[in-house]
Amino acid sequence: VMRRNPFGMDICCQKGSRSPLQELYNPTQVSLSNTAILHQIRRDQVTDMCRANSVSSRKRRVLTPSDLKHLVVDEDHEMIYCYVPKVACTNWKRVMMVLTGRGKYSDPMEIPANEAHVSSNLKTLNQYSIPEINHRLKNFMKFLFVREPFERLVSAYRNKFTQKYNTSFHKRYGTKIVRRQRKNATQEALRKGDDVKFEEFVAYLIDPHTQREEPFNEHWQTVYSLCHPCHIHYDLIGKYETLEEDSNYILQLAGVGNYLKFPTYAKSTRTTDEMTTEFFQNISSLHQTQLYEVYKLDFLMFNYSVPSYLKLE
């Protein structure tokens, strides 16, 4: 079997080479087996929460192809990655482009961010037939990355509503939020929607009308709804808090750890816990409680404790 590595050289992998899935569940290297235990604990947590939740939820729903549009497929390394916006998904998409590009790209950071989000650059699971989908779900290693839900939410708010260049978001969501949540809004605010306050954003998210109207935008949709962890068994759950270690562990399992490292760069603008605390200062305890309910499954499933700054009713 010939397989190209990202540097374009053909490397011959003998027929007996192991898939990431085999390497994960039966590690040949000691260094990998310690980490495997940590990931087993994370998997068990999700399984327990799904079990506890399925009792309360009505009929288990069947996934449709449109539920699978966030699952990026890497045929060469037999991996599936469910991307969650605001959880290092730009860099993971870049890495997936290196892995699936058959030598077209070698350095993830040379790929412009906007190119990483061009849908035709990566293949997603919803583009396959049902038998092909089932085969890949069964035989490929599936992973996703999660982040403390409210930190992710503040990150989405800062990125989409406080940056002047995000005019499409201001028009699409900002104007709607201002119209619905702001008394005596000026004509300019209603037209531009570029000065949404965090309190207004929260009020919009917990408004039952919003939930009925359309699904949340992917930047603030729950991980539970984007990646369907109760229907799809994820082999690895990486965390934003341990992004580098978890990412490089996945690349090691894929057998590319020697020449491909997950890109790291200190981003001084990234949303922190302190920043999140500050954003929640002005949110009433009633709204905090209602917002926690919206994201509760993400908190429980991925083992994030209730933030200390919350004043829940």
Side-chain angles (χ1 to χ4, degrees):
V1 181
M2 297 297 277
R3 189 162 78 198
R4 307 276 304 252
N5 83 349
F7 294 140
M9 303 173 292
D10 281 320
I11 44 174
C12 183
C13 35
Q14 64 290 2
K15 199 82 182 103
S17 73
R18 293 156 60 82
S19 74
L21 211 50
Q22 293 167 319
E23 197 54 66
L24 171 66
Y25 291 107
N26 302 295
T28 46
Q29 301 170 42
V30 178
S31 63
L32 294 181
S33 54
N34 300 338
T35 318
I37 297 163
L38 165 75
H39 286 279
Q40 180 64 56
I41 294 167
R42 291 181 186 173
R43 276 196 299 276
D44 291 345
Q45 173 82 12
V46 171
T47 307
D48 292 347
M49 284 318 304
C50 289
R51 205 172 286 136
N53 196 53
S54 70
V55 180
S56 58
S57 72
R58 293 172 307 287
K59 193 167 160 289
R60 184 175 157 165
R61 135 184 136 69
V62 176
L63 292 184
T64 64
S66 77
D67 289 320
L68 306 174
K69 56 180 187 286
H70 273 249
L71 280 81
V72 175
V73 181
D74 173 0
E75 293 283 344
D76 292 354
H77 304 91
E78 300 188 354
M79 298 198 301
I80 295 174
Y81 159 58
C82 183
Y83 69 89
V84 178
K86 307 314 297 170
V87 193
C89 89
T90 306
N91 277 353
W92 255 111
K93 283 180 174 180
R94 285 169 160 145
V95 168
M96 292 300 274
M97 282 172 72
V98 172
L99 290 172
T100 59
R102 308 272 174 118
K104 194 171 161 192
Y105 312 95
S106 59
D107 177 2
M109 293 317 282
E110 279 177 4
I111 301 170
N114 57 343
E115 200 169 311
H117 297 294
V118 173
S119 55
S120 58
N121 282 332
L122 290 165
K123 195 160 186 193
T124 47
L125 198 56
N126 58 338
Q127 297 169 355
Y128 293 84
S129 70
I130 304 286
E132 288 172 333
I133 289 171
N134 289 332
H135 171 78
R136 281 155 186 74
L137 284 175
K138 189 170 162 226
N139 297 294
F140 285 19
M141 183 175 83
K142 299 164 295 298
F143 67 95
L144 78 164
F145 276 78
V146 298
R147 182 177 187 177
E148 202 279 339
F150 285 171
E151 199 179 286
R152 177 176 165 242
L153 192 65
V154 168
S155 175
Y157 166 77
R158 291 178 64 219
N159 179 253
K160 299 304 169 196
F161 295 108
T162 69
Q163 304 290 343
K164 288 293 172 219
Y165 60 80
N166 263 321
T167 47
S168 63
F169 264 82
H170 303 156
K171 285 261 187 297
R172 170 100 173 74
Y173 295 100
T175 53
K176 189 187 288 185
I177 294 171
V178 169
R179 191 172 65 244
R180 215 183 279 171
Q181 307 301 338
R182 190 179 301 176
K183 290 184 173 65
N184 312 322
T186 64
Q187 283 307 307
E188 187 182 20
L190 288 164
R191 194 182 79 249
K192 285 186 164 174
D194 64 352
D195 64 344
V196 170
K197 297 184 182 69
F198 186 64
E199 298 86 295
E200 293 170 330
F201 178 52
V202 168
Y204 161 79
L205 294 174
I206 58 179
D207 182 347
H209 185 82
T210 305
Q211 312 252 2
R212 281 195 303 270
E213 187 178 54
E214 59 180 348
F216 276 3
N217 176 276
E218 59 175 20
H219 290 84
W220 47 86
Q221 179 60 282
T222 60
V223 176
Y224 175 76
S225 303
L226 288 176
C227 295
H228 316 286
C230 291
H231 293 76
I232 294 170
H233 171 82
Y234 285 94
D235 303 290
L236 279 165
I237 295 146
K239 293 205 160 190
Y240 192 72
E241 296 75 18
T242 48
L243 177 63
E244 212 176 323
E245 303 94 289
D246 292 345
S247 298
N248 288 323
Y249 175 56
I250 290 167
L251 295 175
Q252 251 182 301
L253 291 170
V256 298
N258 296 338
Y259 54 81
L260 184 57
K261 291 276 177 279
F262 191 77
T264 54
Y265 54 102
K267 247 184 122 181
S268 53
T269 58
R270 61 156 283 215
T271 304
T272 60
D273 186 44
E274 294 75 45
M275 222 179 264
T276 306
T277 306
E278 218 151 289
F279 272 90
F280 273 86
Q281 298 274 283
N282 301 327
I283 307 295
S284 72
S285 58
L286 174 64
H287 280 187
Q288 288 186 4
T289 306
Q290 290 171 313
L291 191 69
Y292 179 76
E293 281 304 315
V294 174
Y295 292 93
K296 187 176 177 178
L297 266 178
D298 280 5
F299 274 100
L300 297 173
M301 206 164 264
F302 307 117
N303 209 15
Y304 288 106
S305 49
V306 177
S308 56
Y309 54 78
L310 284 193
K311 308 177 285 285
L312 298 183
E313 294 204 335

